[in-house]
Amino acid sequence: MRDVAVIGVSQTKFGELWDVSFRDMITEAGLGAIEDAGIEGADLEAMYVGNMSAGLFIKQEHISSLIADHAGLTPIPSTRVEAACASGGLALRSGVMAVASGYHDIVIAAGVEKMTDVVDPTPAIATASDQEWEAQQGVTFPSLYAMMARRHMYEYGTTREQLAMVSVINHENASKNPRAQFPMKVTLEQVMSSTMVADPLRLLDCSPISDGAAAVILCPAEMAREYTDTPVYVKASAQASGTIALHDRRDITRIDATVHAARRAFKMADLTPGDIDLVEVHDCFSINGILAVEDLGFVEKGEGGRAFEEGMTRIDGDIPVNPSGGLKARGHPLGATGIAQAAEVVWQLRGEAGERQVEGAEVGMTHNIGGTGGTAAVHIFTR
Amino acid sequence: MRDVAVIGVSQTKFGELWDVSFRDMITEAGLGAIEDAGIEGADLEAMYVGNMSAGLFIKQEHISSLIADHAGLTPIPSTRVEAACASGGLALRSGVMAVASGYHDIVIAAGVEKMTDVVDPTPAIATASDQEWEAQQGVTFPSLYAMMARRHMYEYGTTREQLAMVSVINHENASKNPRAQFPMKVTLEQVMSSTMVADPLRLLDCSPISDGAAAVILCPAEMAREYTDTPVYVKASAQASGTIALHDRRDITRIDATVHAARRAFKMADLTPGDIDLVEVHDCFSINGILAVEDLGFVEKGEGGRAFEEGMTRIDGDIPVNPSGGLKARGHPLGATGIAQAAEVVWQLRGEAGERQVEGAEVGMTHNIGGTGGTAAVHIFTR
């Protein structure tokens, strides 16, 4: 198995990008990563694209071909990978395997979602849950995560204020991220008094509907220094599946897929949570930030709320979480998120994260989940 | 790069499976392949599933998690791969890479589509074309392939009868395949007088709307004989992209993605078309059978029609094409097709294809395309 490095990254501005089409958005991200890597399009040997539901959002499947064509990259192999909101993380892992296997040397792994071209994105998002047991019954994602939050509050005494602090810290970080959809601070009071969506989750507990794309360029580790002075190495690429529907889980206050993927990732990298200098977690709702720091092993089960309340997860804290602003404030174009997380970690490990830089960051992690945790992808990167 | 072998295969009956759900269908295929390999579910380390559009057909994305869960295979990594009708071929290639890379030893690569639970599958199928330039203008797949057929007739003198012979031979083969959707013979006259769909293509030139699933089990070649006395080896796994929309191609009588993927596959396997004992080609419409034998290099450009007319492609001909009955008569559950093709080749190379056996088959090929050729996957297998 060949070791793999990241030599280029890129992310478009996330937001409601009314004036940019799906195909132009992903091409912009791809060109950005190509430029960042100092290569040419013709150097690319394969493409993997994470996308949850262009079929439902813009009536377009077969986006792998569309993108290769629109970007002028035919005839290279181009593959779409999907696992709801974890699509980006899985595209990254597929790209890593393509390089690790020796099938391809220089590979682009990208993610994209165009969510604002449909009148109501809610039914499309609901297809990430179990259609027969959940979506068809009218369940939406805020309501599913609200149940997880309620149970976590009941089991562990997690407070409404602790949930709010996930959003407060995310927005504080996003205010230093020019690519974020919402680069502005919010106060605890603003979160606590925002519109109720699904009790106990309020509007400012929820990640937004976003358009956006991101891309990373991978190559064999031994070739990386031909292209860059600041390669970042993929030390672990792990993925796990869990029960898709909430009612069938033994415990809805923990995401088993995260636990399994994290365990494998740490084993693969021969590292422990204490070695991680920053982590980009999948906080599509504030409760999921709390679950993530617990399930990834940064704090004991039930201590996640306190970690955010006490500032442990701030950029200057013990375990900086989402210096990018996370899904809440950077934005969450579903298929792009897993790749955007990787891009942020790469910028951090290169020391290029500007005002949101985690000082001396040497080891970073990404955590990307699909649905309410039916899929989890965990990656560890080092300088 | 590790060599990869197939140790188990399975295919459900293809057809209008009103009484079987999506999740039960893919589980049936998976269990069949597990049984065929003589392993247990717990031996599987990862899953790849090809599926074009469960989002549009049954309102379910995130099928990777759903299937791992329903089949009791959590927490193994499960990944959906999509490239329209080539989804199965790409799932196979992803599985091959997962084994070749050393990430996983025993991997299941499967494909599934449930097309009959939606009132009109046509809009979903149209999402395999370019939404902005084709689907939105009202183009359907029969009309796109009809244009390709018309041009082929104009350029090379291909006749209506030659197109019909693709279907006649497919049905003849399918009549010996108990898993086929239409296991009955049709005459040249029946094809020529069937309902017009998109001139010159008639009903019996078109593959049907199908439900179905298929699965193969992969492992490192050096482990294969621990599981089976009849391993089949993956000698080449190649994939290419082409222009998605027809109007933008230099030539609509040839599918460039097929040409590129075939060239790479032959190079990888160090073989030539003359070495292939049978091929499963992607004949979603009769014209595509003709394009395939030309673009894969079995006959000169323009000679495809004659190859079918003169019987060269029959089971006892020079290059047996689609002993299974092909997409036309075995059926075409989009995401399952690429895997079903691989299953057929494995049965042929094992000598287990019953009445449709190609005598002494030692080398087989599969050819799976997406849309009108925006994606092509070509695999070569040997005993």
Side-chain angles (χ1 to χ4, degrees), chain A residues 1 23 53 59-62 65 69 75-80 82 93 101 104 127-131 239 241 244 264 374-375, chain B residues 1 23 53 59-62 65 69 75-80 82 93 101 104 127-131 239 241 244 374-375:
Chain A
M1 197 190 308
R23 60 189 79 190
S53 197
K59 300 196 177 106
Q60 178 75 65
E61 306 282 7
H62 207 193
S65 166
D69 180 11
I76 68 167
S78 178
T79 303
R80 172 196 173 197
E82 186 266 324
R93 188 162 187 264
S101 67
H104 300 292
T127 64
S129 67
D130 186 320
Q131 203 273 334
Q239 178 189 336
S241 306
I244 188 167
R264 285 183 207 168
T375 303
Chain B
M1 197 189 312
R23 60 189 79 190
S53 195
K59 299 196 178 111
Q60 178 74 66
E61 306 281 10
H62 207 193
S65 166
D69 180 12
I76 69 167
S78 179
T79 304
R80 173 198 173 194
E82 187 266 324
R93 189 163 186 265
S101 66
H104 300 292
T127 63
S129 67
D130 186 320
Q131 204 274 333
Q239 178 188 337
S241 305
I244 188 168
T375 303

Short mmCIF file of all heavy atoms in Angstrom, two decimals, chain A residues 1 23 53 59-62 65 69 75-80 82 93 101 104 127-131 239 241 244 264 374-375, chain B residues 1 23 53 59-62 65 69 75-80 82 93 101 104 127-131 239 241 244 374-375:
data_model
loop_
_atom_site.label_atom_id
_atom_site.label_comp_id
_atom_site.label_asym_id
_atom_site.label_seq_id
_atom_site.Cartn_x
_atom_site.Cartn_y
_atom_site.Cartn_z
N MET A 1 0.84 -1.19 0.00
CA MET A 1 0.00 0.00 0.00
C MET A 1 0.88 1.25 0.00
O MET A 1 1.74 1.39 0.86
CB MET A 1 -0.88 -0.01 1.26
CG MET A 1 -2.05 0.93 1.18
SD MET A 1 -2.90 1.12 2.76
CE MET A 1 -3.21 -0.57 3.25
N ARG A 23 -22.13 23.04 -12.41
CA ARG A 23 -20.92 22.66 -13.16
C ARG A 23 -19.82 23.72 -13.05
O ARG A 23 -18.64 23.38 -13.03
CB ARG A 23 -21.26 22.30 -14.61
CG ARG A 23 -21.91 23.39 -15.43
CD ARG A 23 -22.40 22.85 -16.79
NE ARG A 23 -23.67 22.14 -16.65
CZ ARG A 23 -24.24 21.41 -17.62
NH1 ARG A 23 -23.68 21.30 -18.80
NH2 ARG A 23 -25.39 20.80 -17.42
N SER A 53 -27.01 14.49 -3.79
CA SER A 53 -28.26 14.33 -4.53
C SER A 53 -28.48 15.35 -5.62
O SER A 53 -29.49 16.03 -5.64
CB SER A 53 -29.45 14.32 -3.57
OG SER A 53 -30.58 13.79 -4.22
N LYS A 59 -31.86 17.65 -10.88
CA LYS A 59 -32.29 16.67 -11.89
C LYS A 59 -31.14 16.17 -12.75
O LYS A 59 -31.27 15.97 -13.96
CB LYS A 59 -33.37 17.26 -12.80
CG LYS A 59 -34.63 17.69 -12.07
CD LYS A 59 -35.76 17.89 -13.07
CE LYS A 59 -37.07 18.25 -12.39
NZ LYS A 59 -37.44 19.65 -12.54
N GLN A 60 -29.99 15.98 -12.13
CA GLN A 60 -28.81 15.54 -12.88
C GLN A 60 -28.11 14.42 -12.12
O GLN A 60 -27.54 14.65 -11.05
CB GLN A 60 -27.84 16.71 -13.09
CG GLN A 60 -26.54 16.35 -13.82
CD GLN A 60 -26.74 16.15 -15.30
OE1 GLN A 60 -27.08 17.09 -16.01
NE2 GLN A 60 -26.55 14.92 -15.78
N GLU A 61 -28.19 13.17 -12.64
CA GLU A 61 -27.30 12.13 -12.15
C GLU A 61 -26.12 12.13 -13.12
O GLU A 61 -25.99 13.02 -13.94
CB GLU A 61 -28.00 10.75 -12.13
CG GLU A 61 -29.32 10.70 -11.37
CD GLU A 61 -29.17 10.63 -9.83
OE1 GLU A 61 -28.03 10.75 -9.33
OE2 GLU A 61 -30.19 10.47 -9.15
N HIS A 62 -25.25 11.15 -13.01
CA HIS A 62 -24.12 11.02 -13.95
C HIS A 62 -23.23 12.27 -13.93
O HIS A 62 -22.66 12.65 -14.95
CB HIS A 62 -24.66 10.77 -15.37
CG HIS A 62 -23.70 10.01 -16.25
ND1 HIS A 62 -23.86 9.91 -17.61
CD2 HIS A 62 -22.55 9.33 -15.97
CE1 HIS A 62 -22.87 9.20 -18.13
NE2 HIS A 62 -22.07 8.83 -17.15
N SER A 65 -19.42 12.20 -15.22
CA SER A 65 -19.16 12.45 -16.64
C SER A 65 -19.32 13.93 -16.96
O SER A 65 -18.49 14.54 -17.64
CB SER A 65 -20.13 11.62 -17.49
OG SER A 65 -20.12 12.05 -18.83
N ASP A 69 -16.28 16.26 -18.38
CA ASP A 69 -16.51 16.88 -19.68
C ASP A 69 -16.41 18.41 -19.57
O ASP A 69 -15.64 19.06 -20.29
CB ASP A 69 -17.91 16.45 -20.15
CG ASP A 69 -18.30 17.03 -21.50
OD1 ASP A 69 -17.43 17.60 -22.18
OD2 ASP A 69 -19.48 16.91 -21.86
N PRO A 75 -10.28 11.95 -21.30
CA PRO A 75 -11.05 10.75 -20.96
C PRO A 75 -10.71 10.15 -19.59
O PRO A 75 -10.92 8.96 -19.40
CB PRO A 75 -10.61 9.79 -22.06
CG PRO A 75 -9.15 10.10 -22.24
CD PRO A 75 -9.02 11.59 -21.98
N ILE A 76 -10.22 10.92 -18.64
CA ILE A 76 -9.83 10.27 -17.37
C ILE A 76 -11.05 9.68 -16.66
O ILE A 76 -12.16 10.20 -16.77
CB ILE A 76 -9.07 11.22 -16.42
CG1 ILE A 76 -9.97 12.33 -15.87
CG2 ILE A 76 -7.83 11.79 -17.08
CD1 ILE A 76 -9.36 13.08 -14.70
N PRO A 77 -10.85 8.61 -15.91
CA PRO A 77 -11.95 8.02 -15.14
C PRO A 77 -12.48 9.03 -14.13
O PRO A 77 -11.70 9.71 -13.45
CB PRO A 77 -11.29 6.84 -14.40
CG PRO A 77 -10.01 6.58 -15.09
CD PRO A 77 -9.59 7.86 -15.73
N SER A 78 -13.78 9.13 -14.05
CA SER A 78 -14.43 10.06 -13.12
C SER A 78 -15.56 9.32 -12.44
O SER A 78 -16.38 8.71 -13.10
CB SER A 78 -14.94 11.27 -13.90
OG SER A 78 -15.60 12.17 -13.03
N THR A 79 -15.58 9.37 -11.12
CA THR A 79 -16.50 8.54 -10.35
C THR A 79 -17.20 9.36 -9.28
O THR A 79 -16.55 10.08 -8.52
CB THR A 79 -15.72 7.40 -9.66
OG1 THR A 79 -15.02 6.66 -10.66
CG2 THR A 79 -16.64 6.47 -8.88
N ARG A 80 -18.52 9.27 -9.23
CA ARG A 80 -19.27 9.90 -8.15
C ARG A 80 -19.44 8.90 -7.01
O ARG A 80 -19.75 7.73 -7.24
CB ARG A 80 -20.66 10.33 -8.61
CG ARG A 80 -21.53 10.81 -7.45
CD ARG A 80 -23.00 10.87 -7.84
NE ARG A 80 -23.85 11.17 -6.71
CZ ARG A 80 -25.16 10.97 -6.69
NH1 ARG A 80 -25.76 10.50 -7.76
NH2 ARG A 80 -25.86 11.25 -5.62
N GLU A 82 -21.37 8.46 -3.18
CA GLU A 82 -22.46 9.05 -2.40
C GLU A 82 -22.70 8.32 -1.10
O GLU A 82 -22.77 7.09 -1.08
CB GLU A 82 -23.76 9.08 -3.22
CG GLU A 82 -24.90 9.81 -2.54
CD GLU A 82 -25.85 8.93 -1.73
OE1 GLU A 82 -26.09 7.78 -2.15
OE2 GLU A 82 -26.32 9.36 -0.66
N ARG A 93 -11.69 9.22 0.51
CA ARG A 93 -11.17 7.88 0.79
C ARG A 93 -11.02 7.08 -0.51
O ARG A 93 -10.05 6.33 -0.67
CB ARG A 93 -12.10 7.14 1.77
CG ARG A 93 -11.54 5.82 2.25
CD ARG A 93 -12.26 5.35 3.51
NE ARG A 93 -11.62 4.17 4.07
CZ ARG A 93 -12.02 2.92 3.83
NH1 ARG A 93 -13.06 2.69 3.06
NH2 ARG A 93 -11.38 1.90 4.37
N SER A 101 -3.41 2.14 -4.18
CA SER A 101 -3.39 0.88 -4.93
C SER A 101 -2.35 0.86 -6.04
O SER A 101 -1.97 -0.20 -6.51
CB SER A 101 -4.77 0.63 -5.56
OG SER A 101 -5.02 1.60 -6.56
N HIS A 104 -3.51 4.84 -9.90
CA HIS A 104 -3.32 6.20 -10.39
C HIS A 104 -2.33 6.94 -9.50
O HIS A 104 -2.25 6.67 -8.31
CB HIS A 104 -4.66 6.95 -10.39
CG HIS A 104 -5.70 6.32 -11.26
ND1 HIS A 104 -5.60 6.28 -12.63
CD2 HIS A 104 -6.86 5.67 -10.95
CE1 HIS A 104 -6.66 5.66 -13.13
NE2 HIS A 104 -7.42 5.26 -12.14
N THR A 127 -34.01 12.09 2.21
CA THR A 127 -33.64 10.80 1.61
C THR A 127 -32.37 10.22 2.20
O THR A 127 -31.98 9.10 1.88
CB THR A 127 -33.46 10.91 0.08
OG1 THR A 127 -32.36 11.79 -0.19
CG2 THR A 127 -34.71 11.42 -0.61
N ALA A 128 -31.70 10.97 3.08
CA ALA A 128 -30.54 10.44 3.80
C ALA A 128 -30.96 9.57 4.97
O ALA A 128 -30.14 8.83 5.53
CB ALA A 128 -29.65 11.57 4.29
N SER A 129 -32.23 9.67 5.36
CA SER A 129 -32.75 8.82 6.44
C SER A 129 -33.35 7.56 5.82
O SER A 129 -33.30 7.37 4.61
CB SER A 129 -33.81 9.59 7.24
OG SER A 129 -34.96 9.83 6.44
N ASP A 130 -33.92 6.70 6.65
CA ASP A 130 -34.54 5.48 6.14
C ASP A 130 -35.89 5.86 5.55
O ASP A 130 -36.80 6.27 6.27
CB ASP A 130 -34.68 4.47 7.28
CG ASP A 130 -35.18 3.12 6.80
OD1 ASP A 130 -36.08 3.07 5.92
OD2 ASP A 130 -34.69 2.09 7.30
N GLN A 131 -36.05 5.70 4.23
CA GLN A 131 -37.26 6.19 3.56
C GLN A 131 -38.51 5.53 4.14
O GLN A 131 -39.50 6.20 4.42
CB GLN A 131 -37.13 5.92 2.05
CG GLN A 131 -37.99 6.82 1.17
CD GLN A 131 -39.38 6.28 0.99
OE1 GLN A 131 -39.61 5.08 1.08
NE2 GLN A 131 -40.33 7.18 0.74
N GLN A 239 -13.49 4.40 7.57
CA GLN A 239 -14.91 4.58 7.28
C GLN A 239 -15.68 3.47 7.97
O GLN A 239 -15.19 2.34 8.08
CB GLN A 239 -15.12 4.51 5.77
CG GLN A 239 -16.55 4.63 5.29
CD GLN A 239 -16.68 4.33 3.79
OE1 GLN A 239 -15.71 4.47 3.04
NE2 GLN A 239 -17.84 3.91 3.35
N SER A 241 -20.00 2.01 8.90
CA SER A 241 -21.44 2.14 8.72
C SER A 241 -22.14 1.87 10.04
O SER A 241 -21.64 1.13 10.89
CB SER A 241 -21.97 1.11 7.71
OG SER A 241 -21.27 1.21 6.50
N ILE A 244 -29.11 2.84 10.04
CA ILE A 244 -29.54 4.08 9.40
C ILE A 244 -30.68 4.76 10.17
O ILE A 244 -30.67 5.97 10.35
CB ILE A 244 -29.90 3.86 7.90
CG1 ILE A 244 -30.16 5.20 7.18
CG2 ILE A 244 -31.07 2.91 7.74
CD1 ILE A 244 -30.21 5.09 5.66
N ARG A 264 -10.55 2.82 14.10
CA ARG A 264 -9.71 2.35 13.00
C ARG A 264 -8.70 3.40 12.58
O ARG A 264 -7.55 3.08 12.24
CB ARG A 264 -10.58 2.01 11.78
CG ARG A 264 -11.32 0.71 11.96
CD ARG A 264 -12.11 0.39 10.70
NE ARG A 264 -13.26 -0.42 11.07
CZ ARG A 264 -14.28 -0.70 10.28
NH1 ARG A 264 -14.30 -0.22 9.05
NH2 ARG A 264 -15.26 -1.45 10.70
N GLY A 374 -25.50 6.99 9.79
CA GLY A 374 -25.45 5.72 9.07
C GLY A 374 -24.09 5.48 8.45
O GLY A 374 -23.70 4.35 8.18
N THR A 375 -23.36 6.57 8.22
CA THR A 375 -22.01 6.48 7.66
C THR A 375 -21.11 7.46 8.40
O THR A 375 -21.55 8.55 8.77
CB THR A 375 -22.01 6.87 6.17
OG1 THR A 375 -22.92 6.03 5.47
CG2 THR A 375 -20.62 6.73 5.55
N MET B 1 0.76 -3.19 -6.20
CA MET B 1 -0.66 -3.45 -6.45
C MET B 1 -0.93 -4.94 -6.38
O MET B 1 -0.27 -5.72 -7.06
CB MET B 1 -1.01 -2.92 -7.85
CG MET B 1 -2.49 -2.76 -8.06
SD MET B 1 -2.96 -2.38 -9.78
CE MET B 1 -1.83 -1.07 -10.22
N ARG B 23 -34.46 -3.08 -0.71
CA ARG B 23 -33.52 -3.60 0.29
C ARG B 23 -33.49 -5.13 0.31
O ARG B 23 -32.45 -5.73 0.56
CB ARG B 23 -33.81 -2.99 1.67
CG ARG B 23 -35.17 -3.22 2.25
CD ARG B 23 -35.39 -2.39 3.53
NE ARG B 23 -35.73 -0.99 3.21
CZ ARG B 23 -35.79 -0.01 4.09
NH1 ARG B 23 -35.56 -0.24 5.37
NH2 ARG B 23 -36.10 1.22 3.73
N SER B 53 -30.03 5.66 -9.42
CA SER B 53 -30.91 6.72 -8.93
C SER B 53 -32.00 6.25 -7.99
O SER B 53 -33.18 6.48 -8.22
CB SER B 53 -31.53 7.49 -10.10
OG SER B 53 -32.07 8.70 -9.63
N LYS B 59 -36.98 7.44 -3.72
CA LYS B 59 -36.79 8.53 -2.75
C LYS B 59 -35.81 8.15 -1.63
O LYS B 59 -36.01 8.52 -0.47
CB LYS B 59 -38.13 8.95 -2.13
CG LYS B 59 -39.14 9.48 -3.14
CD LYS B 59 -40.25 10.22 -2.41
CE LYS B 59 -41.25 10.81 -3.38
NZ LYS B 59 -42.55 10.15 -3.34
N GLN B 60 -34.78 7.41 -1.97
CA GLN B 60 -33.81 6.96 -0.97
C GLN B 60 -32.40 7.19 -1.48
O GLN B 60 -31.97 6.54 -2.43
CB GLN B 60 -34.01 5.47 -0.68
CG GLN B 60 -33.03 4.86 0.31
CD GLN B 60 -33.32 5.28 1.75
OE1 GLN B 60 -34.34 4.92 2.29
NE2 GLN B 60 -32.43 6.06 2.34
N GLU B 61 -31.68 8.17 -0.89
CA GLU B 61 -30.24 8.23 -1.10
C GLU B 61 -29.63 7.49 0.10
O GLU B 61 -30.33 6.86 0.87
CB GLU B 61 -29.74 9.69 -1.14
CG GLU B 61 -30.46 10.58 -2.16
CD GLU B 61 -29.98 10.40 -3.61
OE1 GLU B 61 -29.23 9.45 -3.89
OE2 GLU B 61 -30.42 11.19 -4.46
N HIS B 62 -28.32 7.56 0.24
CA HIS B 62 -27.66 6.93 1.40
C HIS B 62 -27.93 5.43 1.45
O HIS B 62 -28.01 4.83 2.54
CB HIS B 62 -28.13 7.61 2.69
CG HIS B 62 -27.12 7.53 3.81
ND1 HIS B 62 -27.45 7.84 5.11
CD2 HIS B 62 -25.81 7.19 3.83
CE1 HIS B 62 -26.37 7.69 5.88
NE2 HIS B 62 -25.37 7.31 5.12
N SER B 65 -25.55 2.90 3.48
CA SER B 65 -25.82 2.66 4.90
C SER B 65 -27.04 1.75 5.05
O SER B 65 -27.04 0.79 5.83
CB SER B 65 -26.08 4.00 5.61
OG SER B 65 -26.65 3.80 6.87
N ASP B 69 -26.89 -1.91 6.86
CA ASP B 69 -27.75 -2.08 8.02
C ASP B 69 -28.72 -3.24 7.81
O ASP B 69 -28.78 -4.19 8.60
CB ASP B 69 -28.50 -0.75 8.24
CG ASP B 69 -29.44 -0.78 9.43
OD1 ASP B 69 -29.37 -1.72 10.24
OD2 ASP B 69 -30.24 0.17 9.56
N PRO B 75 -20.37 -2.85 11.28
CA PRO B 75 -19.98 -1.50 10.89
C PRO B 75 -19.05 -1.42 9.67
O PRO B 75 -18.32 -0.45 9.54
CB PRO B 75 -19.23 -1.03 12.13
CG PRO B 75 -18.49 -2.26 12.57
CD PRO B 75 -19.39 -3.43 12.23
N ILE B 76 -19.06 -2.39 8.76
CA ILE B 76 -18.09 -2.31 7.66
C ILE B 76 -18.37 -1.10 6.77
O ILE B 76 -19.50 -0.67 6.63
CB ILE B 76 -18.04 -3.61 6.81
CG1 ILE B 76 -19.33 -3.80 6.00
CG2 ILE B 76 -17.73 -4.82 7.66
CD1 ILE B 76 -19.21 -4.87 4.93
N PRO B 77 -17.31 -0.54 6.18
CA PRO B 77 -17.50 0.57 5.26
C PRO B 77 -18.37 0.15 4.08
O PRO B 77 -18.17 -0.93 3.53
CB PRO B 77 -16.08 0.89 4.77
CG PRO B 77 -15.16 0.23 5.72
CD PRO B 77 -15.90 -0.94 6.30
N SER B 78 -19.30 0.99 3.72
CA SER B 78 -20.21 0.71 2.61
C SER B 78 -20.33 1.97 1.78
O SER B 78 -20.60 3.04 2.31
CB SER B 78 -21.57 0.29 3.17
OG SER B 78 -22.48 0.03 2.12
N THR B 79 -20.12 1.84 0.49
CA THR B 79 -20.01 3.01 -0.38
C THR B 79 -20.85 2.83 -1.63
O THR B 79 -20.76 1.81 -2.30
CB THR B 79 -18.53 3.21 -0.80
OG1 THR B 79 -17.73 3.32 0.38
CG2 THR B 79 -18.35 4.45 -1.66
N ARG B 80 -21.68 3.83 -1.94
CA ARG B 80 -22.41 3.83 -3.20
C ARG B 80 -21.60 4.56 -4.27
O ARG B 80 -21.03 5.61 -4.01
CB ARG B 80 -23.74 4.53 -3.07
CG ARG B 80 -24.46 4.70 -4.41
CD ARG B 80 -25.54 5.75 -4.35
NE ARG B 80 -26.11 6.03 -5.65
CZ ARG B 80 -26.87 7.08 -5.90
NH1 ARG B 80 -27.15 7.94 -4.94
NH2 ARG B 80 -27.35 7.29 -7.11
N GLU B 82 -21.82 5.91 -8.35
CA GLU B 82 -22.82 6.19 -9.38
C GLU B 82 -22.20 6.77 -10.64
O GLU B 82 -21.40 7.69 -10.57
CB GLU B 82 -23.88 7.15 -8.85
CG GLU B 82 -25.05 7.38 -9.79
CD GLU B 82 -24.90 8.59 -10.72
OE1 GLU B 82 -24.35 9.61 -10.27
OE2 GLU B 82 -25.35 8.52 -11.88
N ARG B 93 -15.02 -1.77 -10.09
CA ARG B 93 -13.67 -1.21 -10.13
C ARG B 93 -13.25 -0.65 -8.76
O ARG B 93 -12.10 -0.78 -8.35
CB ARG B 93 -13.59 -0.12 -11.21
CG ARG B 93 -12.18 0.37 -11.48
CD ARG B 93 -12.11 1.11 -12.80
NE ARG B 93 -10.73 1.46 -13.13
CZ ARG B 93 -10.17 2.64 -12.86
NH1 ARG B 93 -10.86 3.58 -12.27
NH2 ARG B 93 -8.90 2.85 -13.19
N SER B 101 -5.33 -2.21 -3.23
CA SER B 101 -4.59 -1.26 -2.40
C SER B 101 -4.09 -1.88 -1.10
O SER B 101 -3.18 -1.36 -0.48
CB SER B 101 -5.49 -0.08 -2.03
OG SER B 101 -6.55 -0.51 -1.20
N HIS B 104 -8.45 -3.55 2.09
CA HIS B 104 -9.38 -4.60 2.51
C HIS B 104 -9.05 -5.90 1.78
O HIS B 104 -8.56 -5.88 0.66
CB HIS B 104 -10.83 -4.19 2.19
CG HIS B 104 -11.27 -2.94 2.87
ND1 HIS B 104 -11.45 -2.86 4.24
CD2 HIS B 104 -11.54 -1.70 2.39
CE1 HIS B 104 -11.83 -1.63 4.56
NE2 HIS B 104 -11.88 -0.91 3.47
N THR B 127 -31.90 11.78 -16.48
CA THR B 127 -30.88 12.49 -15.70
C THR B 127 -29.47 11.95 -15.97
O THR B 127 -28.49 12.50 -15.47
CB THR B 127 -31.14 12.40 -14.18
OG1 THR B 127 -31.06 11.02 -13.77
CG2 THR B 127 -32.48 12.99 -13.80
N ALA B 128 -29.38 10.88 -16.77
CA ALA B 128 -28.06 10.37 -17.18
C ALA B 128 -27.50 11.18 -18.34
O ALA B 128 -26.31 11.09 -18.65
CB ALA B 128 -28.15 8.90 -17.59
N SER B 129 -28.36 11.98 -18.98
CA SER B 129 -27.89 12.85 -20.07
C SER B 129 -27.55 14.22 -19.48
O SER B 129 -27.63 14.43 -18.27
CB SER B 129 -28.99 12.98 -21.13
OG SER B 129 -30.10 13.69 -20.60
N ASP B 130 -27.16 15.15 -20.32
CA ASP B 130 -26.83 16.49 -19.84
C ASP B 130 -28.13 17.23 -19.57
O ASP B 130 -28.89 17.52 -20.50
CB ASP B 130 -25.99 17.21 -20.91
CG ASP B 130 -25.48 18.56 -20.43
OD1 ASP B 130 -26.21 19.29 -19.75
OD2 ASP B 130 -24.31 18.88 -20.74
N GLN B 131 -28.39 17.55 -18.32
CA GLN B 131 -29.69 18.12 -17.95
C GLN B 131 -29.95 19.42 -18.71
O GLN B 131 -31.05 19.63 -19.24
CB GLN B 131 -29.72 18.36 -16.43
CG GLN B 131 -31.12 18.39 -15.83
CD GLN B 131 -31.76 19.76 -15.90
OE1 GLN B 131 -31.08 20.78 -15.93
NE2 GLN B 131 -33.08 19.81 -15.95
N GLN B 239 -11.44 2.31 -16.92
CA GLN B 239 -12.59 3.21 -16.94
C GLN B 239 -12.20 4.48 -17.68
O GLN B 239 -11.05 4.93 -17.59
CB GLN B 239 -12.98 3.55 -15.49
CG GLN B 239 -14.14 4.51 -15.31
CD GLN B 239 -14.33 4.91 -13.86
OE1 GLN B 239 -13.90 4.20 -12.94
NE2 GLN B 239 -14.93 6.06 -13.63
N SER B 241 -13.93 8.47 -19.32
CA SER B 241 -15.04 9.42 -19.45
C SER B 241 -15.06 9.97 -20.87
O SER B 241 -14.03 10.06 -21.53
CB SER B 241 -14.86 10.59 -18.49
OG SER B 241 -14.71 10.13 -17.18
N ILE B 244 -20.49 14.20 -22.35
CA ILE B 244 -21.79 13.68 -21.91
C ILE B 244 -22.89 13.93 -22.95
O ILE B 244 -23.69 13.05 -23.22
CB ILE B 244 -22.16 14.21 -20.50
CG1 ILE B 244 -23.43 13.51 -19.96
CG2 ILE B 244 -22.32 15.73 -20.49
CD1 ILE B 244 -23.69 13.76 -18.48
N GLY B 374 -21.00 8.73 -21.74
CA GLY B 374 -20.22 9.66 -20.92
C GLY B 374 -19.25 8.92 -20.01
O GLY B 374 -18.24 9.49 -19.56
N THR B 375 -19.56 7.67 -19.73
CA THR B 375 -18.69 6.83 -18.89
C THR B 375 -18.61 5.44 -19.52
O THR B 375 -19.60 4.95 -20.05
CB THR B 375 -19.27 6.68 -17.47
OG1 THR B 375 -19.45 7.98 -16.91
CG2 THR B 375 -18.35 5.85 -16.58
#
